Amino acid sequence: MQCTKMLEVWKIPRRFVSLLPTAQVVLLLLLLSSQSQSVRPTEGENAVDDPAVPSRESVEGQLQNSSGVPDENNIQERSVQPPPLKLPPKQAISTEKILIKKLLERYERQGRVGRPVIHTNDNLTVYFGLSLIQILDVDETNQVLKTNIWYHYKWTDVLLSWNRTEHDDIDNVRVPSKKIWLPDILLYNFADDRLQEQRDALVVVYDSGELLWMPQAILRSSCLFDTLYFPFDSQQCSLKFGSWTYNGAKLNIDFVAEHDMDVSDFVPSNEWDIVENKAVRNVKYYTCCPEPYPDLTFSLKLKRKVAFYTFILVLPCALLSLLTLVIFWVPPESPAKLQLGMSIFVAFFFLLLVLAESTPRAAASVPLIGAYFCLSMVLITVSTVLACIVANMFFRGVRINRAPKWLRSCTIRGIATLLCLRDKIIDPEENMETKKESSKSYKDTKNKFPEADFKFSKVRLLDNGIDYRVTPQTEGSDLDAFLDRGGFRSGAILEEVRGIRDILEKNEEKKRARDERERYIREWRVIACVTDRFFFLIYVIINIVGITVIFKGQ
């Protein structure tokens, strides 16, 4: 009866069965009964056929072959069909996936909101650290530091622990961070308009409930930059992290390992060097809340690399400064002094524009190199104005009055003596005193000898050395009486002598006026030269002091 039912189930024609021996029929029935008792997939599911179990078509083919009647269609189908794929059973799944599913289902039942602690008063400690990967940008204009970092979180979650012996000795798994509780540790001094600053990363969960989370992040933190010693400056920036809502009694924060940033994977920057790296834990009380709020502050001290700025700003500034010294050695009356001064002024102005592009526009402190540029421009301007005045005095000295006495005394007797230039300068007043002394000695000589001797000396010079005093007509009388008597054409000679004397006096007056005018011009030129040299000395001192202050700052 059971065999009949099995034949009806598999729809085997009785004419085939009649052709088989009894033993083959019994064996076939036993095989069909064992297959009917196996587990079959339910309707609506995509079940994978087991290649070890024969199908109804294969059974029919076997029956036909056993009867001795070959089935040509069956033989052709077998030759065309590829071999069946050996797929794993649907029930096969790894223990790791089962464990992760159990952990997440447990977490889903308990909820993601709230600290994963057993008792409400329990304190959860989160260990936090940073790994600095790269300094992306130092925006001095907007006072923002942009860095690429890796977060390093460690804490314990009681909902994510298991017995490793019950799960094939699995000691750690990875779960999505969005499906578990995460500490709200944020950057306090952030300066970013993005809603999320970090990338998503899986959380490593250990069997003891300890969690390790290391997401990547691009941080934009506010930092106060001091550009006083630009480009030889050093900047101090800090990154302050702490829980935004939990106080120290609920969530404590501490360092993972060392009290600094991990720089083992740091990519060196082209513009900045890290000279100091440290971190400190602080506990602060805010006005809004009486509870303590701990935080971790990571500090970086950055020093600027000056190789680029040396060739762009420092070296041109040094060369122009040396060139400005040449201006003071050009003669004041030379037009090249004005042209060189204006050219250097334009060059310094261009460097000042380049400096303005590299420094914050609203800086609290002006860079010393910028102040040095401005000071050099002021000194060049003053030197150019002074050169213009001196050139004007040189070419228009006829209309210029004599320099005031206080100016002559200050420059010629004061500054020239201070600069050891008194011996190299001929004092015009001393020249006047020398002429006065010569005139005085001439008058003394004239008073010492009789006037007749001078007159006879002049006559002798005009009459080829003839001495009229030895003639008989001049005995017992002076020269005037002799000339009044008309001896030796004395009247004509006297007129000639008087005409010559008038011409000499006029020439003497013109020469005296010309010498006086030239003396006044020379006085102004001497004053200008001494002032220019004094200004050169001040310029050198200011340059030395400025360069010392700038290089001392580094």
Side-chain angles (χ1 to χ4, degrees):
M1 187 68 182
Q2 186 177 2
C3 295
T4 304
K5 291 182 179 179
M6 294 299 297
L7 293 174
E8 293 177 355
V9 170
W10 286 95
K11 298 180 181 180
I12 301 175
R14 294 182 180 274
R15 60 187 178 88
F16 294 138
V17 178
S18 61
L19 299 176
L20 296 175
T22 305
Q24 292 180 356
V25 173
V26 173
L27 181 61
L28 178 61
L29 292 177
L30 291 175
L31 181 61
L32 294 176
S33 62
S34 61
Q35 180 64 25
S36 62
Q37 293 177 1
S38 63
V39 179
R40 295 184 179 180
T42 59
E43 296 181 2
E45 296 181 355
N46 296 326
V48 179
D49 296 334
D50 193 352
V53 180
S55 62
R56 182 169 58 87
E57 290 78 3
S58 63
V59 174
E60 291 179 355
Q62 291 177 3
L63 292 176
Q64 292 177 0
N65 293 333
S66 62
S67 62
V69 180
D71 190 355
E72 296 179 358
N73 296 330
N74 191 14
I75 294 174
Q76 185 177 2
E77 290 178 358
R78 289 183 181 180
S79 62
V80 175
Q81 290 179 356
L85 298 176
K86 295 183 179 181
L87 300 176
K90 183 181 177 182
Q91 296 83 359
I93 188 172
S94 64
T95 308
E96 181 181 0
K97 289 184 66 67
I98 297 175
L99 176 59
I100 294 175
K101 183 177 180 181
K102 287 182 180 180
L103 293 175
L104 295 180
E105 288 177 352
R106 182 200 304 174
Y107 222 99
E108 186 68 22
R109 291 193 303 267
Q110 298 296 333
R112 294 180 61 247
V113 181
R115 297 175 301 132
V117 293
I118 299 176
H119 303 287
T120 306
N121 296 329
D122 290 346
N123 191 324
L124 179 62
T125 301
V126 177
Y127 297 96
F128 181 77
L130 292 179
S131 295
L132 182 61
I133 305 302
Q134 188 178 7
I135 299 176
L136 299 178
D137 186 24
V138 177
D139 191 353
E140 298 176 348
T141 303
N142 298 319
Q143 305 285 296
V144 174
L145 173 65
K146 187 177 181 180
T147 54
N148 179 14
I149 60 99
W150 293 351
Y151 287 123
H152 197 173
Y153 294 89
K154 277 187 178 181
W155 74 95
T156 302
D157 195 329
V158 296
L159 299 177
L160 296 176
S161 60
W162 67 90
N163 189 357
R164 57 189 301 179
T165 59
E166 298 178 357
H167 298 84
D168 294 344
D169 203 20
I170 298 177
D171 58 350
N172 62 82
V173 294
R174 276 75 178 166
V175 299
S177 60
K178 295 182 178 180
K179 295 187 177 182
I180 63 174
W181 178 87
L182 298 176
D184 61 338
I185 297 177
L186 302 176
L187 177 64
Y188 280 24
N189 56 330
F190 75 100
D192 201 347
D193 52 359
R194 297 174 299 172
L195 298 178
Q196 188 176 2
E197 60 189 18
Q198 65 188 16
R199 294 184 177 182
D200 193 13
L202 296 176
V203 181
V204 182
V205 182
Y206 296 92
D207 58 337
S208 60
E210 183 179 351
L211 278 71
L212 173 62
W213 188 37
M214 298 183 64
Q216 298 174 330
I218 303 296
L219 298 182
R220 292 172 57 90
S221 58
S222 59
C223 181
L224 181 61
F225 295 102
D226 186 10
T227 58
L228 180 63
Y229 298 106
F230 175 86
F232 305 98
D233 54 338
S234 299
Q235 306 298 338
Q236 186 82 24
C237 294
S238 61
L239 290 84
K240 182 179 178 181
F241 292 89
S243 176
W244 192 252
T245 56
Y246 291 105
N247 55 49
K250 299 291 184 180
L251 191 146
N252 186 27
I253 183 173
D254 205 345
F255 293 102
V256 174
E258 299 179 357
H259 293 189
D260 58 1
M261 289 188 186
D262 183 14
V263 293
S264 58
D265 298 323
F266 177 71
V267 179
S269 175
N270 293 329
E271 187 177 359
W272 299 91
D273 288 328
I274 300 177
V275 297
E276 188 178 53
N277 176 21
K278 63 180 181 180
V280 63
R281 182 179 183 272
N282 303 314
V283 178
K284 190 173 182 179
Y285 293 86
Y286 296 94
T287 56
C288 64
C289 313
E291 298 86 1
Y293 283 85
D295 64 77
L296 301 180
T297 303
F298 298 86
S299 299
L300 287 175
K301 187 175 182 180
L302 307 176
K303 183 176 179 59
R304 193 189 305 271
K305 295 181 180 180
V306 298
F308 172 76
Y309 297 98
T310 299
F311 294 99
I312 299 299
L313 293 177
V314 178
L315 185 59
C317 177
L319 295 178
L320 288 176
S321 299
L322 294 177
L323 197 58
T324 53
L325 300 179
V326 179
I327 297 177
F328 296 96
W329 292 97
V330 177
E333 65 275 6
S334 177
K337 189 179 183 69
L338 301 176
Q339 298 174 2
L340 185 60
M342 294 303 299
S343 301
I344 297 177
F345 180 86
V346 174
F348 267 111
F349 184 75
F350 175 75
L351 287 179
L352 193 61
L353 293 179
V354 175
L355 179 65
E357 294 294 331
S358 304
T359 54
R361 292 177 175 81
S365 58
V366 179
L368 291 180
I369 189 171
Y372 177 73
F373 285 174
C374 294
L375 180 61
S376 299
M377 293 171 65
V378 171
L379 293 178
I380 293 172
T381 303
V382 174
S383 176
T384 306
V385 172
L386 179 62
C388 183
I389 295 174
V390 172
N392 185 30
M393 288 187 295
F394 180 81
F395 292 105
R396 300 179 61 186
V398 179
R399 307 177 187 177
I400 303 299
N401 296 327
R402 188 180 184 185
K405 186 176 180 180
W406 63 270
L407 183 60
R408 298 197 306 270
S409 301
C410 181
T411 55
I412 298 176
R413 290 188 175 86
I415 300 177
T417 305
L418 181 64
L419 300 179
C420 300
L421 299 175
R422 184 65 183 273
D423 298 338
K424 300 178 181 180
I425 297 176
I426 301 176
D427 194 348
E429 294 186 358
E430 292 181 357
N431 192 13
M432 291 178 61
E433 291 178 358
T434 304
K435 291 185 177 180
K436 289 181 180 179
E437 291 178 357
S438 301
S439 177
K440 185 178 180 181
S441 61
Y442 172 77
K443 291 180 180 179
D444 294 340
T445 307
K446 185 177 180 181
N447 295 328
K448 184 176 180 182
F449 297 95
E451 185 177 357
D453 294 339
F454 286 96
K455 290 181 179 181
F456 277 116
S457 298
K458 293 179 182 179
V459 173
R460 275 199 311 274
L461 291 174
L462 294 175
D463 292 340
N464 296 324
I466 300 175
D467 192 357
Y468 297 97
R469 292 179 295 177
V470 298
T471 58
Q473 289 82 356
T474 59
E475 293 179 359
S477 63
D478 55 2
L479 181 61
D480 292 334
F482 178 76
L483 294 175
D484 291 338
R485 290 193 298 268
F488 297 101
R489 299 180 304 274
S490 59
I493 295 175
L494 182 60
E495 292 297 330
E496 291 179 1
V497 171
R498 289 176 180 175
I500 292 172
R501 185 176 60 184
D502 294 339
I503 293 173
L504 293 175
E505 289 178 355
K506 290 180 180 179
N507 291 333
E508 187 70 23
E509 290 178 359
K510 291 180 180 180
K511 184 179 179 180
R512 188 182 302 108
R514 185 172 60 253
D515 292 343
E516 185 176 0
R517 185 174 63 251
E518 292 178 357
R519 185 172 62 252
Y520 293 163
I521 295 174
R522 180 174 174 78
E523 285 181 355
W524 281 107
R525 293 184 62 184
V526 168
I527 292 173
C529 292
V530 173
T531 306
D532 199 23
R533 185 62 58 87
F534 179 70
F535 193 78
F536 167 76
L537 182 62
I538 294 178
Y539 183 81
V540 170
I541 294 174
I542 293 177
N543 276 334
I544 294 175
V545 172
I547 294 174
T548 303
V549 171
I550 292 174
F551 282 90
K552 186 69 175 178
Q554 61 178 337

